Amino acid sequence: MRKQMISSLAALALFVGGYASFAGMGGTSTVEAAQAVSSFKDVPASHWASSAIYSAVEKGYFKGYADGTFKPGSPVTKAEMASILARLNDQPESPTAELNHFTDVPEWAKNGVATAIAKGFIRPSSYKGKLDAQATLERGEMADWLTQGLSVVDSDYGQALSDVTNTVIPAKEYFTGKLADSQKNAVAVALGTGLMSVANDKTFGVNRTTTRAEVAVLLSRYASVAKTKPADLQGLNELRQVGLTGTNLSVIAPRYQVFPENRYPDSYDYSKVTDDFSKIRNKELNTVTKYASAKLKNWVVINPYVKETERSIYYPVFVDEKDKLLRGAYYSFTEYDFNIIDSMSRLQAGSLFNSPTINPLTSPNSKAFREYAVPHMNNLLSSKGIFNVKNPIYWGEGLLHFDKTLNPEVHLTLKDGTTFYIVPN
């Protein structure tokens, strides 16, 4: 049903005043387009986006400049990007497209902006009458446009945008609290689908501008994702499950299932037993010791034994390449929310739960963990190892075992008796 996205090849005039041109190729043939790309003085074959640029020019999304350059690092304006998105012929029109009430769109871009709205990429209700059409397009807004477009292609992508509201986002800004709530959902889906990624500094960069080369790559990725069912994207599945339940366990370790009823005494009220982490997420738990009241905000499980393409989307956040485990254990990372009753040391925190999996004794010491600036226990301790805040919130590291000799059970109980109890089958 979804064909490879091809430009309509409708030509636009080259823009004046230094604006980059995104004109269609008109009657230009594929051979001529290939020759144009090969002749760009600033796009050698070794350029990281050369293939994507070639494809984008061939399909009519871009033209070069009169001086024989492509200017791959030049920023893209909102009007220009809207005109590009308007040419995606395989993008269906949204049945709920909003009215176009923008008052600041230049004449040359009005048709493109109107079509991008009709195809669901742009939602005028998110703006206050003005698109700021000739401003450069930032990555956060790009994520909005592309993920909104996906929700028109497949309604399940729209559901995914809702499901990730409370997820853990594998980007530095999320962990440092610098990612606005209004940006989280689109950023999460953009990362979960592979449309966009974090930079070398581990930030998503919502305020960074988008370049011509990056747009060429994004168009190629969008075409691929639009042909893929959301359920087939493991990273997106993890983000959705964490958003909905607080853990990615069902995606990464589906062998773990609820403790069987036949192993309970007949007198026990089994209706209180669950494998649904959402039923205990952010609720006060029973603890072995009484140094603090305890809640679990999120629980991330990582299988370190699979090849890179099958790894958890959270692997780069918590685990270094050199890290190894023994006897088939998986990594277990839990976000804790404690309210200390009097005072509590690191060792006393470790005594709150009798579990190798839910273990608040230490935070990860990986380089990745530090680079993503994930909240670390050590930042909350005095020189004597005592917590210097009453409400420490941090991530701890444990092990999820499958070996029955190493206590593979995960058993947590709320004050009201609700029991999260799972074992590997």
PDB file of all heavy atoms in Angstrom, residues 277 280-287 292-299 334-340 352-353 358 360 391-394 412-415:
ATOM      1  N   PHE A 277       3.767  -4.029  36.061  1.00  0.00           N
ATOM      2  CA  PHE A 277       4.574  -3.113  36.853  1.00  0.00           C
ATOM      3  C   PHE A 277       3.855  -1.785  37.085  1.00  0.00           C
ATOM      4  O   PHE A 277       4.103  -1.100  38.085  1.00  0.00           O
ATOM      5  CB  PHE A 277       5.912  -2.878  36.149  1.00  0.00           C
ATOM      6  CG  PHE A 277       6.949  -2.182  36.999  1.00  0.00           C
ATOM      7  CD1 PHE A 277       7.675  -2.874  37.953  1.00  0.00           C
ATOM      8  CD2 PHE A 277       7.210  -0.831  36.825  1.00  0.00           C
ATOM      9  CE1 PHE A 277       8.633  -2.237  38.728  1.00  0.00           C
ATOM     10  CE2 PHE A 277       8.156  -0.182  37.588  1.00  0.00           C
ATOM     11  CZ  PHE A 277       8.881  -0.882  38.548  1.00  0.00           C
ATOM     12  N   ILE A 280       2.337  -1.039  40.524  1.00  0.00           N
ATOM     13  CA  ILE A 280       3.141  -0.670  41.689  1.00  0.00           C
ATOM     14  C   ILE A 280       4.019   0.548  41.408  1.00  0.00           C
ATOM     15  O   ILE A 280       4.632   1.100  42.321  1.00  0.00           O
ATOM     16  CB  ILE A 280       4.032  -1.841  42.155  1.00  0.00           C
ATOM     17  CG1 ILE A 280       5.077  -2.192  41.091  1.00  0.00           C
ATOM     18  CG2 ILE A 280       3.190  -3.061  42.501  1.00  0.00           C
ATOM     19  CD1 ILE A 280       6.217  -3.047  41.619  1.00  0.00           C
ATOM     20  N   ARG A 281       4.066   0.986  40.174  1.00  0.00           N
ATOM     21  CA  ARG A 281       4.888   2.131  39.795  1.00  0.00           C
ATOM     22  C   ARG A 281       4.438   3.385  40.560  1.00  0.00           C
ATOM     23  O   ARG A 281       3.266   3.693  40.626  1.00  0.00           O
ATOM     24  CB  ARG A 281       4.757   2.368  38.290  1.00  0.00           C
ATOM     25  CG  ARG A 281       5.588   3.482  37.729  1.00  0.00           C
ATOM     26  CD  ARG A 281       5.196   3.747  36.284  1.00  0.00           C
ATOM     27  NE  ARG A 281       6.188   4.491  35.539  1.00  0.00           N
ATOM     28  CZ  ARG A 281       6.015   4.929  34.288  1.00  0.00           C
ATOM     29  NH1 ARG A 281       4.876   4.673  33.650  1.00  0.00           N
ATOM     30  NH2 ARG A 281       6.968   5.602  33.677  1.00  0.00           N
ATOM     31  N   ASN A 282       5.424   4.068  41.144  1.00  0.00           N
ATOM     32  CA  ASN A 282       5.185   5.331  41.851  1.00  0.00           C
ATOM     33  C   ASN A 282       4.242   5.184  43.052  1.00  0.00           C
ATOM     34  O   ASN A 282       3.592   6.144  43.470  1.00  0.00           O
ATOM     35  CB  ASN A 282       4.630   6.396  40.899  1.00  0.00           C
ATOM     36  CG  ASN A 282       5.649   6.828  39.871  1.00  0.00           C
ATOM     37  OD1 ASN A 282       6.829   7.008  40.182  1.00  0.00           O
ATOM     38  ND2 ASN A 282       5.214   6.998  38.626  1.00  0.00           N
ATOM     39  N   LYS A 283       4.190   3.969  43.627  1.00  0.00           N
ATOM     40  CA  LYS A 283       3.385   3.739  44.827  1.00  0.00           C
ATOM     41  C   LYS A 283       4.280   3.206  45.931  1.00  0.00           C
ATOM     42  O   LYS A 283       5.268   2.523  45.673  1.00  0.00           O
ATOM     43  CB  LYS A 283       2.247   2.759  44.518  1.00  0.00           C
ATOM     44  CG  LYS A 283       1.251   3.289  43.496  1.00  0.00           C
ATOM     45  CD  LYS A 283       0.165   2.282  43.182  1.00  0.00           C
ATOM     46  CE  LYS A 283      -0.805   2.834  42.129  1.00  0.00           C
ATOM     47  NZ  LYS A 283      -1.839   1.843  41.757  1.00  0.00           N
ATOM     48  N   GLU A 284       3.911   3.513  47.175  1.00  0.00           N
ATOM     49  CA  GLU A 284       4.790   3.162  48.286  1.00  0.00           C
ATOM     50  C   GLU A 284       4.856   1.652  48.484  1.00  0.00           C
ATOM     51  O   GLU A 284       3.828   0.958  48.569  1.00  0.00           O
ATOM     52  CB  GLU A 284       4.319   3.835  49.570  1.00  0.00           C
ATOM     53  CG  GLU A 284       5.331   3.681  50.697  1.00  0.00           C
ATOM     54  CD  GLU A 284       4.986   4.502  51.922  1.00  0.00           C
ATOM     55  OE1 GLU A 284       4.105   5.388  51.818  1.00  0.00           O
ATOM     56  OE2 GLU A 284       5.591   4.240  52.989  1.00  0.00           O
ATOM     57  N   LEU A 285       6.081   1.161  48.589  1.00  0.00           N
ATOM     58  CA  LEU A 285       6.344  -0.272  48.719  1.00  0.00           C
ATOM     59  C   LEU A 285       6.685  -0.650  50.148  1.00  0.00           C
ATOM     60  O   LEU A 285       7.208   0.161  50.927  1.00  0.00           O
ATOM     61  CB  LEU A 285       7.517  -0.663  47.817  1.00  0.00           C
ATOM     62  CG  LEU A 285       7.307  -0.556  46.309  1.00  0.00           C
ATOM     63  CD1 LEU A 285       8.640  -0.485  45.589  1.00  0.00           C
ATOM     64  CD2 LEU A 285       6.493  -1.738  45.800  1.00  0.00           C
ATOM     65  N   ASN A 286       6.419  -1.899  50.492  1.00  0.00           N
ATOM     66  CA  ASN A 286       6.961  -2.461  51.734  1.00  0.00           C
ATOM     67  C   ASN A 286       8.464  -2.627  51.571  1.00  0.00           C
ATOM     68  O   ASN A 286       8.936  -3.037  50.509  1.00  0.00           O
ATOM     69  CB  ASN A 286       6.326  -3.812  52.049  1.00  0.00           C
ATOM     70  CG  ASN A 286       4.890  -3.686  52.510  1.00  0.00           C
ATOM     71  OD1 ASN A 286       4.516  -2.700  53.138  1.00  0.00           O
ATOM     72  ND2 ASN A 286       4.074  -4.676  52.191  1.00  0.00           N
ATOM     73  N   THR A 287       9.209  -2.330  52.610  1.00  0.00           N
ATOM     74  CA  THR A 287      10.666  -2.480  52.578  1.00  0.00           C
ATOM     75  C   THR A 287      11.113  -3.398  53.716  1.00  0.00           C
ATOM     76  O   THR A 287      10.395  -3.560  54.721  1.00  0.00           O
ATOM     77  CB  THR A 287      11.364  -1.119  52.717  1.00  0.00           C
ATOM     78  OG1 THR A 287      10.893  -0.464  53.908  1.00  0.00           O
ATOM     79  CG2 THR A 287      11.071  -0.235  51.512  1.00  0.00           C
ATOM     80  N   ALA A 292      13.629   4.494  55.008  1.00  0.00           N
ATOM     81  CA  ALA A 292      12.961   5.426  54.096  1.00  0.00           C
ATOM     82  C   ALA A 292      11.704   4.781  53.528  1.00  0.00           C
ATOM     83  O   ALA A 292      11.591   3.547  53.465  1.00  0.00           O
ATOM     84  CB  ALA A 292      13.899   5.813  52.958  1.00  0.00           C
ATOM     85  N   SER A 293      10.758   5.596  53.149  1.00  0.00           N
ATOM     86  CA  SER A 293       9.668   5.097  52.319  1.00  0.00           C
ATOM     87  C   SER A 293      10.176   5.050  50.889  1.00  0.00           C
ATOM     88  O   SER A 293      11.013   5.870  50.490  1.00  0.00           O
ATOM     89  CB  SER A 293       8.440   6.000  52.431  1.00  0.00           C
ATOM     90  OG  SER A 293       8.726   7.310  51.962  1.00  0.00           O
ATOM     91  N   ALA A 294       9.686   4.092  50.119  1.00  0.00           N
ATOM     92  CA  ALA A 294      10.295   3.831  48.811  1.00  0.00           C
ATOM     93  C   ALA A 294       9.252   3.661  47.722  1.00  0.00           C
ATOM     94  O   ALA A 294       8.231   2.999  47.911  1.00  0.00           O
ATOM     95  CB  ALA A 294      11.169   2.575  48.886  1.00  0.00           C
ATOM     96  N   LYS A 295       9.557   4.288  46.576  1.00  0.00           N
ATOM     97  CA  LYS A 295       8.778   4.103  45.357  1.00  0.00           C
ATOM     98  C   LYS A 295       9.739   3.815  44.207  1.00  0.00           C
ATOM     99  O   LYS A 295      10.897   4.253  44.235  1.00  0.00           O
ATOM    100  CB  LYS A 295       7.962   5.356  45.035  1.00  0.00           C
ATOM    101  CG  LYS A 295       6.941   5.729  46.086  1.00  0.00           C
ATOM    102  CD  LYS A 295       6.240   7.029  45.708  1.00  0.00           C
ATOM    103  CE  LYS A 295       5.251   7.454  46.778  1.00  0.00           C
ATOM    104  NZ  LYS A 295       4.587   8.747  46.429  1.00  0.00           N
ATOM    105  N   LEU A 296       9.237   3.112  43.201  1.00  0.00           N
ATOM    106  CA  LEU A 296      10.004   2.848  41.990  1.00  0.00           C
ATOM    107  C   LEU A 296       9.356   3.629  40.852  1.00  0.00           C
ATOM    108  O   LEU A 296       8.173   3.450  40.568  1.00  0.00           O
ATOM    109  CB  LEU A 296      10.026   1.355  41.656  1.00  0.00           C
ATOM    110  CG  LEU A 296      10.522   0.417  42.759  1.00  0.00           C
ATOM    111  CD1 LEU A 296      10.589  -1.018  42.228  1.00  0.00           C
ATOM    112  CD2 LEU A 296      11.882   0.844  43.290  1.00  0.00           C
ATOM    113  N   LYS A 297      10.146   4.490  40.221  1.00  0.00           N
ATOM    114  CA  LYS A 297       9.625   5.309  39.128  1.00  0.00           C
ATOM    115  C   LYS A 297       9.691   4.573  37.797  1.00  0.00           C
ATOM    116  O   LYS A 297       8.741   4.583  37.018  1.00  0.00           O
ATOM    117  CB  LYS A 297      10.412   6.624  39.042  1.00  0.00           C
ATOM    118  CG  LYS A 297      10.240   7.507  40.267  1.00  0.00           C
ATOM    119  CD  LYS A 297      11.175   8.702  40.227  1.00  0.00           C
ATOM    120  CE  LYS A 297      10.797   9.704  39.153  1.00  0.00           C
ATOM    121  NZ  LYS A 297       9.516  10.367  39.445  1.00  0.00           N
ATOM    122  N   ASN A 298      10.838   3.937  37.521  1.00  0.00           N
ATOM    123  CA  ASN A 298      11.041   3.229  36.251  1.00  0.00           C
ATOM    124  C   ASN A 298      12.024   2.088  36.449  1.00  0.00           C
ATOM    125  O   ASN A 298      12.886   2.130  37.336  1.00  0.00           O
ATOM    126  CB  ASN A 298      11.583   4.191  35.178  1.00  0.00           C
ATOM    127  CG  ASN A 298      10.575   5.255  34.793  1.00  0.00           C
ATOM    128  OD1 ASN A 298       9.574   4.972  34.143  1.00  0.00           O
ATOM    129  ND2 ASN A 298      10.832   6.505  35.188  1.00  0.00           N
ATOM    130  N   TRP A 299      11.895   1.080  35.588  1.00  0.00           N
ATOM    131  CA  TRP A 299      12.774  -0.084  35.654  1.00  0.00           C
ATOM    132  C   TRP A 299      13.142  -0.492  34.230  1.00  0.00           C
ATOM    133  O   TRP A 299      12.272  -0.862  33.437  1.00  0.00           O
ATOM    134  CB  TRP A 299      12.062  -1.230  36.374  1.00  0.00           C
ATOM    135  CG  TRP A 299      12.830  -2.503  36.467  1.00  0.00           C
ATOM    136  CD1 TRP A 299      14.187  -2.658  36.504  1.00  0.00           C
ATOM    137  CD2 TRP A 299      12.271  -3.823  36.538  1.00  0.00           C
ATOM    138  NE1 TRP A 299      14.519  -3.985  36.594  1.00  0.00           N
ATOM    139  CE2 TRP A 299      13.369  -4.717  36.619  1.00  0.00           C
ATOM    140  CE3 TRP A 299      10.978  -4.321  36.542  1.00  0.00           C
ATOM    141  CZ2 TRP A 299      13.180  -6.096  36.694  1.00  0.00           C
ATOM    142  CZ3 TRP A 299      10.794  -5.688  36.623  1.00  0.00           C
ATOM    143  CH2 TRP A 299      11.883  -6.570  36.702  1.00  0.00           C
ATOM    144  N   THR A 334      17.152   0.645  37.913  1.00  0.00           N
ATOM    145  CA  THR A 334      15.912   1.103  38.527  1.00  0.00           C
ATOM    146  C   THR A 334      16.047   2.543  38.995  1.00  0.00           C
ATOM    147  O   THR A 334      17.058   2.924  39.581  1.00  0.00           O
ATOM    148  CB  THR A 334      15.539   0.214  39.726  1.00  0.00           C
ATOM    149  OG1 THR A 334      15.609  -1.166  39.342  1.00  0.00           O
ATOM    150  CG2 THR A 334      14.138   0.529  40.218  1.00  0.00           C
ATOM    151  N   GLU A 335      15.004   3.341  38.723  1.00  0.00           N
ATOM    152  CA  GLU A 335      14.967   4.709  39.204  1.00  0.00           C
ATOM    153  C   GLU A 335      14.201   4.727  40.525  1.00  0.00           C
ATOM    154  O   GLU A 335      13.018   4.409  40.567  1.00  0.00           O
ATOM    155  CB  GLU A 335      14.291   5.626  38.180  1.00  0.00           C
ATOM    156  CG  GLU A 335      14.350   7.089  38.571  1.00  0.00           C
ATOM    157  CD  GLU A 335      13.712   8.005  37.539  1.00  0.00           C
ATOM    158  OE1 GLU A 335      12.953   7.506  36.683  1.00  0.00           O
ATOM    159  OE2 GLU A 335      13.965   9.223  37.602  1.00  0.00           O
ATOM    160  N   TYR A 336      14.897   5.119  41.598  1.00  0.00           N
ATOM    161  CA  TYR A 336      14.328   5.102  42.941  1.00  0.00           C
ATOM    162  C   TYR A 336      13.874   6.491  43.367  1.00  0.00           C
ATOM    163  O   TYR A 336      14.479   7.507  43.015  1.00  0.00           O
ATOM    164  CB  TYR A 336      15.369   4.601  43.952  1.00  0.00           C
ATOM    165  CG  TYR A 336      15.820   3.191  43.670  1.00  0.00           C
ATOM    166  CD1 TYR A 336      17.026   2.941  43.032  1.00  0.00           C
ATOM    167  CD2 TYR A 336      15.026   2.104  44.035  1.00  0.00           C
ATOM    168  CE1 TYR A 336      17.443   1.656  42.759  1.00  0.00           C
ATOM    169  CE2 TYR A 336      15.435   0.808  43.763  1.00  0.00           C
ATOM    170  CZ  TYR A 336      16.648   0.584  43.122  1.00  0.00           C
ATOM    171  OH  TYR A 336      17.047  -0.695  42.849  1.00  0.00           O
ATOM    172  N   ASP A 337      12.823   6.504  44.166  1.00  0.00           N
ATOM    173  CA  ASP A 337      12.291   7.735  44.748  1.00  0.00           C
ATOM    174  C   ASP A 337      12.092   7.462  46.234  1.00  0.00           C
ATOM    175  O   ASP A 337      11.122   6.813  46.629  1.00  0.00           O
ATOM    176  CB  ASP A 337      10.966   8.092  44.064  1.00  0.00           C
ATOM    177  CG  ASP A 337      10.351   9.379  44.592  1.00  0.00           C
ATOM    178  OD1 ASP A 337      10.898   9.957  45.549  1.00  0.00           O
ATOM    179  OD2 ASP A 337       9.310   9.786  44.057  1.00  0.00           O
ATOM    180  N   PHE A 338      13.048   7.931  47.044  1.00  0.00           N
ATOM    181  CA  PHE A 338      13.018   7.661  48.478  1.00  0.00           C
ATOM    182  C   PHE A 338      12.653   8.921  49.269  1.00  0.00           C
ATOM    183  O   PHE A 338      13.013  10.035  48.879  1.00  0.00           O
ATOM    184  CB  PHE A 338      14.383   7.168  48.972  1.00  0.00           C
ATOM    185  CG  PHE A 338      14.801   5.841  48.406  1.00  0.00           C
ATOM    186  CD1 PHE A 338      16.127   5.607  48.062  1.00  0.00           C
ATOM    187  CD2 PHE A 338      13.897   4.818  48.215  1.00  0.00           C
ATOM    188  CE1 PHE A 338      16.535   4.386  47.542  1.00  0.00           C
ATOM    189  CE2 PHE A 338      14.282   3.587  47.701  1.00  0.00           C
ATOM    190  CZ  PHE A 338      15.603   3.377  47.364  1.00  0.00           C
ATOM    191  N   ASN A 339      11.969   8.723  50.375  1.00  0.00           N
ATOM    192  CA  ASN A 339      11.776   9.769  51.373  1.00  0.00           C
ATOM    193  C   ASN A 339      12.370   9.256  52.680  1.00  0.00           C
ATOM    194  O   ASN A 339      11.825   8.325  53.309  1.00  0.00           O
ATOM    195  CB  ASN A 339      10.294  10.112  51.542  1.00  0.00           C
ATOM    196  CG  ASN A 339       9.842  11.168  50.559  1.00  0.00           C
ATOM    197  OD1 ASN A 339      10.304  12.301  50.603  1.00  0.00           O
ATOM    198  ND2 ASN A 339       8.955  10.782  49.651  1.00  0.00           N
ATOM    199  N   ILE A 340      13.513   9.820  53.044  1.00  0.00           N
ATOM    200  CA  ILE A 340      14.260   9.341  54.203  1.00  0.00           C
ATOM    201  C   ILE A 340      13.553   9.757  55.488  1.00  0.00           C
ATOM    202  O   ILE A 340      13.167  10.918  55.659  1.00  0.00           O
ATOM    203  CB  ILE A 340      15.695   9.888  54.164  1.00  0.00           C
ATOM    204  CG1 ILE A 340      16.405   9.346  52.908  1.00  0.00           C
ATOM    205  CG2 ILE A 340      16.467   9.497  55.426  1.00  0.00           C
ATOM    206  CD1 ILE A 340      17.765   9.962  52.654  1.00  0.00           C
ATOM    207  N   LEU A 352      17.150  -1.839  51.874  1.00  0.00           N
ATOM    208  CA  LEU A 352      15.710  -1.631  51.781  1.00  0.00           C
ATOM    209  C   LEU A 352      14.997  -2.775  51.077  1.00  0.00           C
ATOM    210  O   LEU A 352      13.845  -3.100  51.397  1.00  0.00           O
ATOM    211  CB  LEU A 352      15.413  -0.314  51.058  1.00  0.00           C
ATOM    212  CG  LEU A 352      15.785   0.966  51.812  1.00  0.00           C
ATOM    213  CD1 LEU A 352      15.660   2.173  50.898  1.00  0.00           C
ATOM    214  CD2 LEU A 352      14.905   1.134  53.055  1.00  0.00           C
ATOM    215  N   PHE A 353      15.655  -3.396  50.097  1.00  0.00           N
ATOM    216  CA  PHE A 353      15.064  -4.507  49.356  1.00  0.00           C
ATOM    217  C   PHE A 353      16.031  -5.686  49.391  1.00  0.00           C
ATOM    218  O   PHE A 353      17.238  -5.511  49.227  1.00  0.00           O
ATOM    219  CB  PHE A 353      14.804  -4.122  47.902  1.00  0.00           C
ATOM    220  CG  PHE A 353      13.869  -2.965  47.741  1.00  0.00           C
ATOM    221  CD1 PHE A 353      14.357  -1.706  47.468  1.00  0.00           C
ATOM    222  CD2 PHE A 353      12.500  -3.139  47.860  1.00  0.00           C
ATOM    223  CE1 PHE A 353      13.504  -0.629  47.312  1.00  0.00           C
ATOM    224  CE2 PHE A 353      11.639  -2.072  47.708  1.00  0.00           C
ATOM    225  CZ  PHE A 353      12.142  -0.808  47.442  1.00  0.00           C
ATOM    226  N   ILE A 358      16.346  -5.467  42.152  1.00  0.00           N
ATOM    227  CA  ILE A 358      15.961  -4.137  42.637  1.00  0.00           C
ATOM    228  C   ILE A 358      16.917  -3.807  43.774  1.00  0.00           C
ATOM    229  O   ILE A 358      16.657  -4.090  44.941  1.00  0.00           O
ATOM    230  CB  ILE A 358      14.492  -4.112  43.094  1.00  0.00           C
ATOM    231  CG1 ILE A 358      13.586  -4.666  41.982  1.00  0.00           C
ATOM    232  CG2 ILE A 358      14.071  -2.715  43.487  1.00  0.00           C
ATOM    233  CD1 ILE A 358      13.646  -3.883  40.675  1.00  0.00           C
ATOM    234  N   PRO A 360      19.249  -0.798  45.345  1.00  0.00           N
ATOM    235  CA  PRO A 360      19.639   0.615  45.364  1.00  0.00           C
ATOM    236  C   PRO A 360      20.991   0.894  46.010  1.00  0.00           C
ATOM    237  O   PRO A 360      21.285   2.037  46.371  1.00  0.00           O
ATOM    238  CB  PRO A 360      18.505   1.255  46.182  1.00  0.00           C
ATOM    239  CG  PRO A 360      18.021   0.185  47.078  1.00  0.00           C
ATOM    240  CD  PRO A 360      18.251  -1.121  46.372  1.00  0.00           C
ATOM    241  N   ASN A 391      14.935  13.603  49.979  1.00  0.00           N
ATOM    242  CA  ASN A 391      14.182  12.930  48.910  1.00  0.00           C
ATOM    243  C   ASN A 391      15.122  12.603  47.746  1.00  0.00           C
ATOM    244  O   ASN A 391      15.043  13.199  46.685  1.00  0.00           O
ATOM    245  CB  ASN A 391      13.035  13.820  48.443  1.00  0.00           C
ATOM    246  CG  ASN A 391      12.226  13.226  47.297  1.00  0.00           C
ATOM    247  OD1 ASN A 391      11.783  13.937  46.414  1.00  0.00           O
ATOM    248  ND2 ASN A 391      12.020  11.910  47.301  1.00  0.00           N
ATOM    249  N   PRO A 392      16.017  11.621  47.946  1.00  0.00           N
ATOM    250  CA  PRO A 392      16.936  11.260  46.862  1.00  0.00           C
ATOM    251  C   PRO A 392      16.221  10.504  45.748  1.00  0.00           C
ATOM    252  O   PRO A 392      15.471   9.557  46.002  1.00  0.00           O
ATOM    253  CB  PRO A 392      17.975  10.367  47.555  1.00  0.00           C
ATOM    254  CG  PRO A 392      17.247   9.787  48.726  1.00  0.00           C
ATOM    255  CD  PRO A 392      16.260  10.835  49.165  1.00  0.00           C
ATOM    256  N   ILE A 393      16.438  10.949  44.524  1.00  0.00           N
ATOM    257  CA  ILE A 393      15.918  10.264  43.339  1.00  0.00           C
ATOM    258  C   ILE A 393      17.102   9.977  42.442  1.00  0.00           C
ATOM    259  O   ILE A 393      17.803  10.901  42.014  1.00  0.00           O
ATOM    260  CB  ILE A 393      14.871  11.133  42.603  1.00  0.00           C
ATOM    261  CG1 ILE A 393      13.658  11.388  43.503  1.00  0.00           C
ATOM    262  CG2 ILE A 393      14.424  10.451  41.309  1.00  0.00           C
ATOM    263  CD1 ILE A 393      12.634  12.337  42.913  1.00  0.00           C
ATOM    264  N   TYR A 394      17.370   8.710  42.194  1.00  0.00           N
ATOM    265  CA  TYR A 394      18.542   8.335  41.417  1.00  0.00           C
ATOM    266  C   TYR A 394      18.332   6.958  40.803  1.00  0.00           C
ATOM    267  O   TYR A 394      17.360   6.263  41.114  1.00  0.00           O
ATOM    268  CB  TYR A 394      19.797   8.332  42.298  1.00  0.00           C
ATOM    269  CG  TYR A 394      19.807   7.270  43.383  1.00  0.00           C
ATOM    270  CD1 TYR A 394      20.403   6.020  43.162  1.00  0.00           C
ATOM    271  CD2 TYR A 394      19.216   7.500  44.617  1.00  0.00           C
ATOM    272  CE1 TYR A 394      20.412   5.042  44.146  1.00  0.00           C
ATOM    273  CE2 TYR A 394      19.212   6.535  45.605  1.00  0.00           C
ATOM    274  CZ  TYR A 394      19.810   5.303  45.371  1.00  0.00           C
ATOM    275  OH  TYR A 394      19.798   4.329  46.343  1.00  0.00           O
ATOM    276  N   LEU A 412       7.894  -7.701  44.865  1.00  0.00           N
ATOM    277  CA  LEU A 412       7.684  -6.395  45.484  1.00  0.00           C
ATOM    278  C   LEU A 412       6.229  -6.285  45.913  1.00  0.00           C
ATOM    279  O   LEU A 412       5.327  -6.707  45.186  1.00  0.00           O
ATOM    280  CB  LEU A 412       8.004  -5.277  44.488  1.00  0.00           C
ATOM    281  CG  LEU A 412       9.433  -5.266  43.911  1.00  0.00           C
ATOM    282  CD1 LEU A 412       9.477  -4.408  42.657  1.00  0.00           C
ATOM    283  CD2 LEU A 412      10.421  -4.762  44.947  1.00  0.00           C
ATOM    284  N   THR A 413       5.987  -5.711  47.096  1.00  0.00           N
ATOM    285  CA  THR A 413       4.631  -5.637  47.634  1.00  0.00           C
ATOM    286  C   THR A 413       4.314  -4.223  48.093  1.00  0.00           C
ATOM    287  O   THR A 413       5.143  -3.564  48.739  1.00  0.00           O
ATOM    288  CB  THR A 413       4.457  -6.601  48.823  1.00  0.00           C
ATOM    289  OG1 THR A 413       4.819  -7.913  48.416  1.00  0.00           O
ATOM    290  CG2 THR A 413       3.016  -6.608  49.312  1.00  0.00           C
ATOM    291  N   LEU A 414       3.107  -3.763  47.759  1.00  0.00           N
ATOM    292  CA  LEU A 414       2.634  -2.464  48.210  1.00  0.00           C
ATOM    293  C   LEU A 414       2.039  -2.559  49.613  1.00  0.00           C
ATOM    294  O   LEU A 414       1.747  -3.650  50.111  1.00  0.00           O
ATOM    295  CB  LEU A 414       1.564  -1.935  47.256  1.00  0.00           C
ATOM    296  CG  LEU A 414       1.966  -1.634  45.816  1.00  0.00           C
ATOM    297  CD1 LEU A 414       0.752  -1.104  45.047  1.00  0.00           C
ATOM    298  CD2 LEU A 414       3.096  -0.627  45.764  1.00  0.00           C
ATOM    299  N   LYS A 415       1.805  -1.414  50.217  1.00  0.00           N
ATOM    300  CA  LYS A 415       1.198  -1.359  51.541  1.00  0.00           C
ATOM    301  C   LYS A 415      -0.194  -1.997  51.555  1.00  0.00           C
ATOM    302  O   LYS A 415      -0.636  -2.555  52.567  1.00  0.00           O
ATOM    303  CB  LYS A 415       1.086   0.100  51.997  1.00  0.00           C
ATOM    304  CG  LYS A 415       2.426   0.813  52.161  1.00  0.00           C
ATOM    305  CD  LYS A 415       3.211   0.280  53.335  1.00  0.00           C
ATOM    306  CE  LYS A 415       4.473   1.099  53.567  1.00  0.00           C
ATOM    307  NZ  LYS A 415       5.258   0.593  54.718  1.00  0.00           N
TER     308      LYS A 415
END
